[in-house]
Amino acid sequence: MAEPNSLLRLYRGDRRLNDFLRHWATAPLGERVALSGAAGSLPALVAASALTELKQTIVVLRSDKEEAAYFLNDLEKLLPQGSVLFFPDSYRRPYADRDQTDNSNIGLRAEVLDRLRGDQPIVVVTYPEAIAEKVITRGQLDARSMEVAVGARLDVGFLNEYLFELHFERVDFVEKPGQFSVRGGIVDVFSFAHPEPHRLEFFGSEVESIRTFDVVDQLTLQRVDRMTLVPNVEDKSSTERRESLTAYAGPKALVWIERPEVALEKLDRVYRLAEEAFVGLHSVVRRLEPHELYVRGAEWDRELAGRGIAVDGVPSDSASWHTLAQPAFAKKFDLLAKTLDGHRQAGRALWIMCGQESQRERLKAILHDLNEGLEVNWIDGALHRGWEDPEAGLIAYVDHDLFERYQRFTIRDQHEQAQALTLKELNALQVGDFVAHIDHGIGKFGGLQKIDVGGVKQEAIKLVYRDSDVLYLSIHSLHKIAPYATKEGTEPSLSKLGSPAWQNAKSKTKRRVKEVAFDLIKLYAKRREAKGFAFSPDSYLQHELEASFAYEDTPDQMKSTADVKADMESPIPMDRLICGDVGFGKTEIAVRAAFKAVADSKQVAVLVPTTLLAFQHFRTFSKRLDGLPARVDYLNRSRTAKETKVVLQDLEDGKIDILIGTHRILG
């Protein structure tokens, strides 16, 4: 199965691509080189080719954050990992307070600045609101950063003071950027330049090992040779000199602007907001003025005069690529098959990109039924938009547009990870709360304390048991304890350390669980002996229904759908419960299962608990099954006696395929 970067190889010798890259690299500084007539995701393919061929850092400026995110996702599928980074805005509004900043975005910005200091060319994707904020200069970042390598001589006390000077916060457990913790010869630190925190282990004054770890479970991810300590580079209360991102990227960096006039207008808009916010400041602390923190449109336009610039152009000049956007087929697959066959007869290669394996298999089945001899090249992974390129003899479609599905963009959420469950619960525990230890039973939480272990101070969890017995638990054994849940208003009895009572209680519980399991096994054995109806494999209409879902299936949705259909195709009666929060797609699974039954000439009853839900499900089922051979109706107390009689008669006559209702449908 091919991948999206296969398209890079197909365009490698393209005359139009090579002419554009050569012109961009050699044009006089300040001249705007236009990429005209490149439809769909072709601009992303050109940008990826530019990095590969020109080997220069490229700053790509799209018109807004959403466009930038889709462009980023396209480049991530076309280029090796780590070759493209996203540069977002950091503050929700100019001169915002610290609690109104986005730590995740600050981390992403710091990572870009750190990578731009290196020799490896990268693509930085951004948008006007992000570059409106100036960044600290390279010299200042060098002065405020420190690289730590395995084998380096570094005193833990000095590192502690250095991190305080960088305004890092010392905590018990590292959870987000700008935090660090010290436990004897182990230092955990979350630098703004890395997506994960690092654990530094010292042997005396020597760095013995450096490992990244997961803040959720505190487990090691990988060993590394070095890491860079970078502070919050977006602290706008500091008085350091700042410059634009493009100036920071250096004079050799190329710039690609989607729509220059839009970018300049948005820069001026952010600057005006900054001026208004600055006038309204009431602070005794001196703050830098807007011109020191933000970039005006005219200022940035003058700066661009000294570098190579590419822009998105209009397809009117002779250098236009003359490509077309992917047509809208409105889920008319016969028209799609006819169009693809026409391109095939014209000698054009057909490529279809699919974001999910399930979508690819559905589309394959549909096209096979409509035109068995159609040869299509399939790509595992979909760019944002498809295109038609007659000159290159290539047609590239994306599946989500064929099925009118929404494609979500994804931006790596670098630092805003959820805390570990154990850490959250630990932080939520109050002294005196009941906890259960897997080996020692029920005790009371006594807080975090530092104890001496072999001459080294370490943090431990204090647990108090009956008769004031105390157990100290290492923080590395958090998985052994859990908050103890009991009935409201009742207190459990504390366990006695060394007593067999807790082990006896566990043994008794295990025996009871085995008894329940035995009863369940007997029940399920009887069910397996019963014979049910084995439904047929998915039909063409089933594929069409599932492919028309407006959103991408979640992994759990895909698994649940497959499990339900496997149950239905088995002669054993189905006994399955689908669990999930509101809005996570349970109804969609029910729609698919119901239609699968209808396709085998069965009638389906959907039982719901409330009158309102009956009508809501009726609307949902009707909308999803619109255009398919399935009639949906409903029964609840809001329907008149006459309407109910008609519905029941139609149901008896087999005219209704799916009936949705409350307990009335059981009467």
Side-chain angles (χ1 to χ4, degrees):
M1 185 65 60
E3 295 184 351
N5 57 19
S6 303
L7 297 171
L8 285 176
R9 293 191 291 271
L10 294 176
Y11 275 94
R12 184 165 293 161
D14 190 274
R15 172 191 57 80
R16 300 162 299 174
L17 174 63
N18 293 332
D19 287 348
F20 173 78
L21 295 181
R22 183 168 52 253
H23 190 185
W24 190 12
T26 60
L29 297 180
E31 179 181 329
R32 296 183 177 183
V33 180
L35 178 70
S36 303
S41 289
L42 260 178
L45 189 144
V46 173
S49 299
L51 180 70
T52 304
E53 300 298 327
L54 302 180
K55 294 179 172 52
Q56 291 177 256
T57 289
I58 303 170
V59 178
V60 177
L61 187 76
R62 307 305 287 177
S63 295
D64 55 47
K65 186 174 183 177
E66 182 174 316
E67 278 296 318
Y70 281 122
F71 203 89
L72 170 82
N73 291 166
D74 283 350
L75 288 176
E76 287 174 332
K77 294 173 181 132
L78 294 168
L79 291 170
Q81 185 176 2
S83 299
V84 54
L85 295 177
F86 189 64
F87 189 79
D89 55 326
S90 63
Y91 280 65
R92 293 185 174 90
R93 58 184 177 82
Y95 293 100
D97 296 330
R98 285 178 181 269
D99 60 355
Q100 292 179 311
T101 62
D102 190 327
N103 261 356
S104 175
N105 286 358
I106 291 175
L108 292 173
R109 287 172 69 93
E111 184 179 8
V112 169
L113 299 185
D114 186 49
R115 288 288 303 279
L116 285 174
R117 293 190 297 169
D119 299 327
Q120 190 70 24
I122 58 173
V123 179
V124 178
V125 182
T126 185
Y127 49 98
E129 290 82 358
I131 66 164
E133 301 176 48
K134 291 184 177 180
V135 300
I136 64 174
T137 64
R138 288 198 184 202
Q140 290 164 342
L141 184 58
D142 290 341
R144 297 180 60 191
S145 304
M146 181 171 71
E147 187 175 88
V148 181
V150 174
R153 304 291 296 181
L154 181 63
D155 182 71
V156 174
F158 170 79
L159 179 60
N160 183 76
E161 293 301 319
Y162 180 79
L163 291 171
F164 273 125
E165 289 181 7
L166 294 182
H167 303 294
F168 275 66
E169 176 189 9
R170 182 165 177 172
V171 294
D172 293 327
F173 301 101
V174 169
E175 298 168 1
K176 59 184 180 180
Q179 293 182 337
F180 76 101
S181 67
V182 180
R183 295 188 298 276
I186 298 177
V187 178
D188 291 347
V189 59
F190 208 147
S191 169
F192 280 90
H194 298 287
E196 297 95 13
H198 287 73
R199 179 162 292 153
L200 284 61
E201 293 190 27
F202 288 81
F203 183 75
S205 296
E206 181 180 337
V207 180
E208 190 174 36
S209 71
I210 303 176
R211 295 172 289 168
T212 60
F213 66 93
D214 192 333
V215 296
V216 174
D217 54 23
Q218 299 288 298
L219 297 179
T220 296
L221 296 175
Q222 68 176 114
R223 290 182 176 271
V224 296
D225 294 328
R226 61 189 66 247
M227 59 89 61
T228 306
L229 288 172
V230 174
N232 180 357
V233 296
E234 300 301 328
D235 184 1
K236 292 180 172 54
S237 62
S238 64
T239 57
E240 297 163 320
R241 188 176 68 83
R242 294 172 176 266
E243 61 186 2
S244 70
L245 173 68
T246 45
Y248 182 95
K252 293 183 179 180
L254 300 172
V255 178
W256 184 339
I257 311 170
E258 181 184 6
R259 295 166 62 190
E261 67 284 355
V262 172
L264 296 175
E265 191 277 328
K266 287 189 174 183
L267 289 177
D268 286 334
R269 184 192 309 165
V270 173
Y271 192 84
R272 287 194 298 271
L273 290 174
E275 287 183 317
E276 294 170 4
F278 184 75
V279 171
L281 283 179
H282 301 286
S283 174
V284 295
V285 179
R286 180 187 177 274
R287 305 292 291 272
L288 294 177
E289 296 184 18
H291 72 272
E292 298 174 286
L293 292 177
Y294 296 91
V295 181
R296 290 190 185 94
E299 176 188 354
W300 192 61
D301 196 29
R302 287 193 300 271
E303 181 192 314
L304 293 179
R307 62 179 67 247
I309 307 168
V311 298
D312 285 19
V314 293
S316 58
D317 55 36
S318 58
S320 172
W321 283 52
H322 299 296
T323 61
L324 301 172
Q326 176 177 327
F329 293 98
K331 293 186 286 190
K332 296 179 180 177
F333 298 107
D334 52 345
L335 177 60
L336 169 64
K338 183 178 179 181
T339 301
L340 290 175
D341 191 55
H343 286 305
R344 180 187 63 81
Q345 293 181 25
R348 296 165 189 151
L350 307 179
W351 294 81
I352 297 183
M353 297 174 270
C354 297
Q356 294 180 327
E357 182 182 358
S358 57
Q359 283 295 92
R360 183 176 68 247
E361 295 306 316
R362 290 167 188 159
L363 189 53
K364 275 185 177 181
I366 291 172
L367 293 178
H368 181 270
D369 289 343
L370 293 172
N371 189 336
E372 187 174 345
L374 196 62
E375 293 185 6
V376 175
N377 300 293
W378 299 93
I379 291 180
D380 185 16
L383 300 181
H384 183 45
R385 289 286 180 258
W387 67 91
E388 296 179 346
D389 191 350
E391 183 175 332
L394 183 145
I395 305 299
Y397 288 167
V398 293
D399 66 324
H400 50 269
D401 280 347
L402 295 177
F403 295 118
E404 297 184 342
R405 292 161 62 102
Y406 173 74
Q407 186 193 37
R408 293 178 297 176
F409 63 80
T410 57
I411 300 173
R412 177 165 59 87
D413 191 1
Q414 185 182 26
H415 302 309
E416 294 297 311
Q417 303 181 47
Q419 299 176 20
L421 178 63
T422 50
L423 290 180
K424 282 185 72 174
E425 292 176 344
L426 182 62
N427 290 331
L429 284 175
Q430 303 294 321
V431 173
D433 286 352
F434 291 99
V435 295
H437 189 290
I438 191 171
D439 297 321
H440 302 291
I442 303 169
K444 283 186 177 181
F445 179 66
L448 284 171
Q449 293 192 2
K450 290 186 177 180
I451 60 175
D452 190 285
V453 180
V456 178
K457 290 287 186 181
Q458 292 192 6
E459 286 180 314
I461 300 164
K462 180 182 179 181
L463 301 179
V464 181
Y465 287 86
R466 190 188 302 173
D467 299 333
S468 299
D469 289 344
V470 175
L471 173 71
Y472 288 102
L473 181 73
S474 168
I475 61 170
H476 299 294
S477 299
L478 292 177
H479 61 281
K480 291 189 175 183
I481 63 171
Y484 186 80
T486 183
K487 291 182 180 179
E488 189 174 351
T490 62
E491 288 192 1
S493 299
L494 294 180
S495 300
K496 172 69 176 173
L497 286 180
S499 167
W502 177 252
Q503 297 300 330
N504 292 339
K506 288 204 301 181
S507 298
K508 184 178 179 181
T509 303
K510 287 179 181 178
R511 285 197 302 271
R512 180 58 185 148
V513 169
K514 287 181 180 179
E515 292 173 4
V516 173
F518 180 73
D519 292 340
L520 286 174
I521 289 172
K522 287 199 300 182
L523 175 63
Y524 277 89
K526 291 180 180 179
R527 284 179 174 169
R528 290 189 70 86
E529 291 175 357
K531 291 296 181 183
F533 180 82
F535 289 89
S536 305
D538 288 353
S539 64
Y540 160 79
L541 292 174
Q542 184 76 27
H543 288 305
E544 184 174 334
L545 167 68
E546 295 179 11
S548 66
F549 188 44
Y551 306 97
E552 293 182 17
D553 288 3
T554 65
D556 287 340
Q557 257 185 320
M558 288 190 288
K559 184 179 185 304
S560 298
T561 301
D563 289 344
V564 167
K565 290 196 289 188
D567 288 345
M568 294 179 69
E569 293 172 13
S570 167
I572 300 171
M574 179 165 63
D575 181 28
R576 183 173 295 277
L577 176 67
I578 304 295
C579 299
D581 287 338
V582 175
F584 275 66
K586 300 185 298 296
T587 304
E588 174 62 21
I589 296 172
V591 170
R592 297 176 185 183
F595 185 72
K596 185 176 180 68
V598 171
D600 261 0
S601 303
K602 298 293 183 182
Q603 290 177 297
V604 179
V606 180
L607 187 64
V608 297
T610 65
T611 299
L612 178 61
L613 202 57
F615 184 67
Q616 289 177 340
H617 274 56
F618 166 71
R619 293 177 59 183
T620 300
F621 273 68
S622 299
K623 182 178 179 181
R624 287 291 289 119
L625 298 175
D626 183 38
L628 294 170
R631 179 185 166 186
V632 184
D633 215 322
Y634 72 102
L635 272 183
N636 61 22
R637 64 184 181 185
S638 67
R639 307 208 73 168
T640 65
K642 182 178 179 181
E643 290 174 332
T644 300
K645 184 177 180 181
V646 172
V647 169
L648 293 176
Q649 186 60 51
D650 286 349
L651 181 67
E652 185 178 351
D653 295 341
K655 296 178 180 178
I656 295 176
D657 298 299
I658 301 174
L659 181 64
I660 303 170
T662 58
H663 63 280
R664 294 197 65 178
I665 66 176
L666 301 178

